[in-house]
């Protein structure tokens, strides 16, 4: 099991998100959606649920994030939807180091129709997020 601290996830996002996802570089520090995403990665219990749902149940992180978040109710622009997906894609691909993804899984939640889940992690026995 590899332990990752919440502050290390946030640090990696702040350092690299805009460089890896240039079309979404303006999403960083852009307001409520960004703030809720950062709040989620600072919650180890929620992050471990998101990882479990992704790994075991093959439920995309975006779906679990939206289902767990009572503040974001939908009404997202196309750009907002792509930013949310890019954010969680970054976390799973560039922080947790998952190697593969399955796109276009139906989620139909808060106006978002599909999302991606991740697999083929290159870490023995998974990841645990700690405070």
């Amino acid at each position: 099991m590899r332990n990752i601290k919440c502050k290390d996830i946030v640090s990696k996002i702040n350092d690299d998100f805009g460089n890896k996802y240039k079309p979404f570089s303006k999403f960083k520090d852009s307001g409520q959606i960004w703030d809720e995403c950062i709040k989620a990665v600072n919650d180890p219990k929620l992050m471990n649920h998101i990882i479990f749902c992704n790994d075991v149940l093959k439920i995309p992180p975006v779906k679990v994030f939206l289902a767990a978040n009572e503040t974001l109710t939908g009404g997202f622009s196309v750009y907002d939807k792509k930013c949310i997906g890019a954010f969680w894609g970054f976390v799973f691909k560039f922080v947790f180091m998952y190697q593969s993804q399955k796109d276009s899984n139906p989620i139909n939640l808060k106006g978002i129709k599909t999302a991606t889940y991740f697999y083929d992690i290159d870490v023995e026995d998974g990841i645990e997020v700690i405070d």
Side-chain angles (χ1 to χ4, degrees):
M1 181 76 63
R2 181 175 63 152
N3 293 325
I4 299 177
K5 293 182 178 180
C6 294
K7 69 178 184 172
D8 294 334
I9 299 170
V10 173
S11 178
K12 182 82 170 159
I13 291 166
N14 285 329
D15 292 347
D16 296 337
F17 178 79
N19 294 327
K20 295 284 184 190
Y21 288 86
K22 289 188 190 312
F24 306 106
S25 60
K26 291 182 180 177
F27 179 53
K28 185 173 181 264
D29 298 317
S30 64
Q32 183 184 18
I33 299 170
W34 174 266
D35 293 345
E36 291 300 322
C37 288
I38 293 296
K39 184 177 168 185
V41 297
N42 273 307
D43 181 341
K45 183 177 179 181
L46 175 58
M47 287 303 296
N48 288 314
H49 287 308
I50 290 172
I51 293 166
F52 173 83
C53 288
N54 178 82
D55 292 357
V56 176
L57 304 175
K58 300 189 179 355
I59 298 172
V62 168
K63 183 172 185 173
V64 180
F65 164 70
L66 291 173
N69 187 295
E70 296 176 5
T71 304
L72 300 175
T73 57
F76 303 119
S77 70
V78 170
Y79 180 74
D80 291 340
K81 293 174 189 180
K82 290 180 179 181
C83 287
I84 294 168
F87 182 92
W88 290 103
F90 178 85
V91 170
F92 274 75
K93 292 193 299 191
F94 297 103
V95 178
F96 297 158
M97 306 307 288
Y98 284 72
Q99 303 297 309
S100 300
Q101 64 189 55
K102 181 167 184 322
D103 300 325
S104 300
N105 298 281
I107 66 167
N108 298 313
L109 186 64
K110 298 184 181 181
I112 297 180
K113 293 180 181 175
T114 64
T116 299
Y117 75 83
F118 304 88
Y119 61 98
D120 285 347
I121 189 166
D122 193 23
V123 175
E124 193 141 333
D125 297 323
I127 294 171
E128 180 179 15
V129 176
I130 59 174
D131 214 355

